Amino acid sequence: MFLEKGQVLWNKKLCSSYFKLGLKLSGSFYDAKPGQFVMLRIDERIAPLLRRPFSVYRIIEGRKGVEILYRVVGEFTGILSGIREGECVDILGPLGNGFSLPKKDSRVFIVAGGIGVAPLVFLCSYLIVEKGYDSSTIKVFLGARSKDDLLCRDDLSSLGLEVAITTDDGSEGETCMITSPVEAALKKARPDMIYACGPSGMMKCLSEMAGDYGVACQLSMETVMACGFGACLGCAVESKDANKYLHVCKDGPVFDSRDIRF
Ligand SMILES: Cc1cc2nc3c(=O)[nH]c(=O)nc-3n(C[C@H](O)[C@H](O)[C@H](O)COP(=O)(O)OP(=O)(O)OC[C@H]3O[C@@H](n4cnc5c(N)ncnc54)[C@H](O)[C@@H]3O)c2cc1C
Ligand code: FES
């Protein structure tokens, strides 16, 4: 775990409330694995707020730093969106346990809801570019509220991935929850592993489906976090074992779906 000041290389608005933040960092962050996250903090004179967690979305080419994909939802992300190139952000990481990789040639479903796509794009690119997995064995399901919330389609198609799209309002793809095409695909042929990140309702539904169809499933969970490394116990989620809590920052954020009680 490293604490650094990352210089902002870019902070680009994508569409509606989504941004990509590129941070120049030393080598310590380049070994980040898909599913790991960082805690960001802005100069306390501007934003006297606790650090906030964000998934690593990409290691910048030439190992210059890391990129974060974020959505403006509140005070911190609002201030972050105004940070300019050349300014600095405190970054702590890489933190948590990332995704466990599937065996080579496994069939994999990747299920992303909204901004939950960020760690999954990193996973796809890591599997295909770094580890040489065949893109035809990976099927991506990308769901969002509306077409403006469908992110990273170019990243996914440039990796040669087949992507099924749904929106809640029907502005693009099928008009349904992303779990509908996932279930239809499960009925046809079961994958060896499901990887998912998204809203809690989607994760609960996938956890149940994975149980029903007997498919292994790894979920990247989101909770509110204060420290990011196990000190404050503020990120607890209920484990399937009675009376046991798991801490998303330290035990996760990626969990086997069988370990979480929704
Ligand atoms: C491991 C992890 C990885 C994450 N990765 C990303 C990422 O890659 N990109 C991204 O945009 N966001 C990510 N998040 C969520 C991000 O941390 C929050 O959106 C951010 O902290 C909000 O801060 P804020 O001050 O702008 O909003 P706040 O004012 O703190 O909150 C605004 C609203 O968002 C809700 N909220 C805040 N934090 C969370 C959370 N963690 N989960 C669910 N709802 C929340 C609040 O309840 C409130 O309704 C991640 C969270 C975790 C735990
Ligand atoms: S955020 Fe502090 S223990 Fe997890």
Side-chain angles (χ1 to χ4, degrees), residues 2-14:
F2 300 92
L3 176 61
E4 256 188 54
K5 279 209 179 304
Q7 195 185 27
V8 175
L9 295 168
W10 58 79
N11 193 15
K12 287 185 280 202
K13 183 169 182 161
L14 301 179

Side-chain angles (χ1 to χ4, degrees), residues 37-86:
F37 66 100
V38 295
M39 297 290 286
L40 296 185
R41 188 171 183 195
I42 303 165
D43 185 335
E44 61 189 23
R45 286 164 300 177
I46 311 169
L49 296 165
L50 292 170
R51 293 178 200 281
R52 297 287 200 268
F54 296 91
S55 303
V56 176
Y57 157 66
R58 195 165 70 89
I59 306 292
I60 298 169
E61 285 86 14
R63 297 165 74 80
K64 291 198 193 79
V66 299
E67 194 172 31
I68 308 297
L69 172 66
Y70 69 95
R71 175 165 175 238
V72 175
V73 292
E75 192 176 3
F76 185 93
T77 45
I79 297 169
L80 188 64
S81 68
I83 298 282
R84 302 219 177 119
E85 190 184 323

Side-chain angles (χ1 to χ4, degrees), residues 225-245:
M225 286 186 184
C227 72
F229 50 82
C232 72
L233 308 183
C235 62
V237 290
E238 238 183 301
S239 146
K240 282 247 168 89
D241 291 350
N243 304 322
K244 199 178 153 203
Y245 284 86

Side-chain angles (χ1 to χ4, degrees), residues 66-136:
V66 299
E67 194 172 31
I68 308 297
L69 172 66
Y70 69 95
R71 175 165 175 238
V72 175
V73 292
E75 192 176 3
F76 185 93
T77 45
I79 297 169
L80 188 64
S81 68
I83 298 282
R84 302 219 177 119
E85 190 184 323
E87 292 186 75
C88 284
V89 174
D90 266 11
I91 175 166
L92 179 72
L95 296 163
N97 298 307
F99 295 104
S100 303
L101 299 193
K103 287 202 194 104
K104 206 93 182 248
D105 299 327
S106 297
R107 287 189 66 251
V108 169
F109 284 4
I110 304 266
V111 188
I115 192 71
V117 72
L120 296 170
V121 167
F122 186 19
L123 175 65
C124 290
S125 120
Y126 190 79
L127 289 175
I128 295 166
V129 180
E130 298 283 323
K131 298 287 175 189
Y133 285 63
D134 185 343
S135 57
S136 68

